[in-house]
Every structure is written in structure tokens, then in C-alpha cells.
Amino acid sequence: MYGKLLLQTALGASLCVLASSAFAEGGYDQGNLIKPVDKTLEIVFIPKVIHPWYDVVEQGAKASVAEFEKLGVKVNVRFDAPPTADINEHIKKIENNSAVHPDGLAVACLDPATDTQAINDAIAAGIKVATFDTDCPDSKRIMYVGHNKDEQDGYDLGKFLAERVGGKGKVGILAGSLSAPNHKARVEGFKKAIAEYPDMSVAFDRPDNDNLQAAIDLTENALQGNPDLVGMFGSNASAPVGAARAVETAGLVGKVHIVGMDDLPEAIEFVKKGVIDAQKAQRQWEIGYWTVKYFVAMAQGHTFPKEHATGSQLITADSLK
């Protein structure tokens, strides 16, 4: 019995050695699944609208391009956004860029119900399509890079504002684009938070369509129509900046408190000055950086995630010290 056990052990060891030798001598090598990129890769980003927020996405994308260039992999990145948040123009951008068949097409969904078909058509044509910033989860997109906890962001900012004003008073909402799911989710989260305070109410709720001048004008209207307003919430990058400009011009800093999304340079300056109380900021540099990384990985034959969550952070005057 003991002899048989020794024999079996010896045979097992021999087989392991033989298997190792086979791999060492050119057997199955998973590294062979990875292919070199022998051409310049063309990657196109289609944001929802021309906006400074996407400039930071582009900075991250270009940083990724620079890293690949050092490795001998050439990548061209192009951003092609519609001038306004118009779904018809957005669809045209997707269709026109699909026609030139890039190596990667990244779409920030403006209206998922409409964008989904355009994305699926591009996929059917053999184009690798990813979504960024705002997802089209029902489409056949191959990957999403961005932050999808929008309702939580709105809720967190609602709680922050409620506590700042002592749980009492009227607040206004700049709702962004009504078709943008991230804007809608943030508003829903904000309203849920405010609803937890019986002595608070939403007195003003209007879409600014991610337009700075519209945000200024709407905030001025809200202040005039509601002289007892104690707070404003901006669901997109332009909104808190527009609200801050209007509140500062009206001499109501410290009386009308502002919370909102994202970290445009002007918004950060308003936070430092105390005009804006808090911002929730996405890490859009990461969005651009990783989207490019993954498109190159696809071209090389690497695996890649279905979703890459980039997260958000709360910014206050104290956190900036």
C-alpha cells in the first residue's frame, strides 16, 4: 500500500514537471491572446453639450493618450459635442461619427430612450460603443465609465442644505435638462431629503438646460418671486455657478444658501468665498482617462469591465483649506 502511494506521488510529480515543460517550451500561452496595435487608433467622445465640465474629461483622455505614446501606441482623441443640449443634434453627432467607423465611440447619453437606438445601430455596424458620464443602460453599449449614484448625490446635498438652514424654509431647484437621467435623479434625491423636514418646502423648480445664463435668470426670478427663499440647489455644473452669481449680485450671500454639482473653477472660488455652501463633484478626469485606456485594451485583446464607477466627493470651504 505504502509502495503504491509513493508510486502515485511520483507519477503526479512527473506529470506536473511534464506540463510545466510543455508550457515552457511554447505550449499554450495566454500572452498570445494580446495583440500589438499596429495603427493609430481613432476614438471619438460625444458629450451631451459643449460645456467646461467636459474639458476636464478631455484632459484625462489626453493624459491617457500621452502615456500610450510613450509605449509606442498611437491614439487620436476627438471631442464632438452639440452646441446645445438638443437631442436631435445629439443623435446626428452619433450617426455622423458612426459613419466614419472610429475604433471607439464614447457617448454621454442626453436622452437614453432616444440615444439607445442610435447606439445599438452603431454596435450593429461593428463599432465599439461605450457610454460615459450618463449611461444608456438598456442599450447594447459594451462599457460604461462614470458615476451613477446621482440620486444619492442629490440626497446628500439636500441633507446638507437642510441642516445648514436649520431644517426650515423654502428652497429652489435648478433642474438642468429634463431629459438627462443624471439631472433628474439628483433632483429626485434632493426632494427626498427635503421631504424629511416638515418645515421645509420646494417653492421653485425649473430646468436651466445646463446653461449658465439661464441659471442666472431663473435664480433672479426665484428670488424675486420668493423673497423668503433660504436655499438653492443646482443639479448640474452650470446651475450652482449661475445661482451664486445671482445671489451675490442681490446681496443675499449668507441668507440664501447654495448647494450643487461639480467643481468648475468658478464654483470652487464661490465655495472658498462662502457664496456656495457645498458641491458634490464627480471625478471626470478619471472618466476620460479610463475610457481611453479601455478602448486601447479592447484593441489589444485585453479584458475590460462592463462598468467602471468613478465616484464623487463633497467639497466645502473646510475641505479646501
Side-chain angles (χ1 to χ4, degrees):
M1 181 68 180
Y2 182 71
K4 288 183 179 180
L5 181 59
L6 286 176
L7 179 59
Q8 289 172 354
T9 302
L11 286 172
S14 298
L15 289 172
C16 288
V17 171
L18 287 172
S20 299
S21 299
F23 280 110
E25 293 172 3
Y28 179 69
D29 183 356
Q30 292 188 20
N32 290 333
L33 298 173
I34 309 307
K35 307 299 181 184
V37 175
D38 56 4
K39 68 169 187 174
T40 299
L41 297 177
E42 301 291 338
I43 298 173
V44 181
F45 285 76
I46 302 177
K48 289 183 286 192
V49 65
I50 294 174
H51 195 284
W53 191 89
Y54 291 107
D55 292 347
V56 184
V57 179
E58 187 169 4
Q59 291 170 15
K62 289 183 175 178
S64 189
V65 169
E67 288 185 3
F68 278 120
E69 186 173 3
K70 293 177 181 178
L71 297 173
V73 179
K74 295 183 179 180
V75 184
N76 282 337
V77 167
R78 181 167 56 86
F79 277 65
D80 189 14
T84 60
D86 180 278
I87 188 57
N88 293 319
E89 292 301 316
H90 198 248
I91 293 298
K92 287 180 183 178
K93 293 292 185 184
I94 297 174
E95 292 174 343
N96 291 343
N97 283 286
S98 295
V100 299
H101 216 285
D103 298 288
L105 182 63
V107 177
C109 296
L110 176 60
D111 177 10
T114 308
D115 282 330
T116 289
Q117 186 58 56
I119 289 172
N120 289 349
D121 290 343
I123 291 283
I127 301 169
K128 295 181 177 67
V129 183
T131 53
F132 74 103
D133 176 22
T134 307
D135 195 12
C136 282
D138 295 328
S139 72
K140 296 179 181 178
R141 55 84 169 154
I142 57 178
M143 175 183 66
Y144 168 66
V145 182
H147 175 59
N148 57 7
K149 302 296 183 183
D150 301 298
E151 185 172 321
Q152 185 65 49
D153 286 338
Y155 180 85
D156 292 344
L157 289 169
K159 293 288 287 187
F160 186 99
L161 180 60
E163 293 172 9
R164 183 57 58 94
V165 301
K168 297 180 180 180
K170 297 178 181 179
V171 296
I173 296 173
L174 297 174
S177 301
L178 295 180
S179 64
N182 54 345
H183 297 177
K184 291 169 64 178
R186 291 165 188 161
V187 171
E188 289 170 3
F190 179 80
K191 288 181 175 179
K192 284 183 179 179
I194 297 303
E196 295 178 3
Y197 297 83
D199 295 326
M200 293 191 72
S201 61
V202 175
F204 185 89
D205 182 359
R206 295 284 302 279
D208 57 274
N209 292 313
D210 218 346
N211 181 279
L212 178 58
Q213 188 58 51
I216 295 171
D217 295 341
L218 288 169
T219 302
E220 290 174 347
N221 293 340
L223 296 173
Q224 291 169 6
N226 304 274
D228 54 348
L229 204 71
V230 299
M232 289 290 295
F233 165 65
S235 68
N236 57 84
S238 296
V241 175
R245 287 191 189 182
V247 166
E248 188 174 55
T249 300
L252 295 173
V253 175
K255 295 180 180 180
V256 178
H257 297 272
I258 302 168
V259 295
M261 289 301 303
D262 298 317
D263 59 348
L264 295 183
E266 188 174 358
I268 295 302
E269 289 304 311
F270 276 128
V271 172
K272 291 178 180 178
K273 291 166 60 177
V275 184
I276 293 177
D277 293 75
Q279 295 281 106
K280 259 299 189 76
Q282 299 184 65
R283 299 184 65 179
Q284 64 266 41
W285 192 97
E286 292 274 303
I287 292 173
Y289 178 88
W290 285 108
T291 299
V292 171
K293 285 286 185 184
Y294 291 136
F295 273 133
V296 175
M298 293 175 204
Q300 293 173 324
H302 289 287
T303 57
F304 57 91
K306 188 74 173 178
E307 294 189 8
H308 179 140
T310 50
S312 66
Q313 59 181 325
L314 183 70
I315 299 175
T316 65
D318 288 339
S319 71
L320 292 172
K321 292 179 181 177

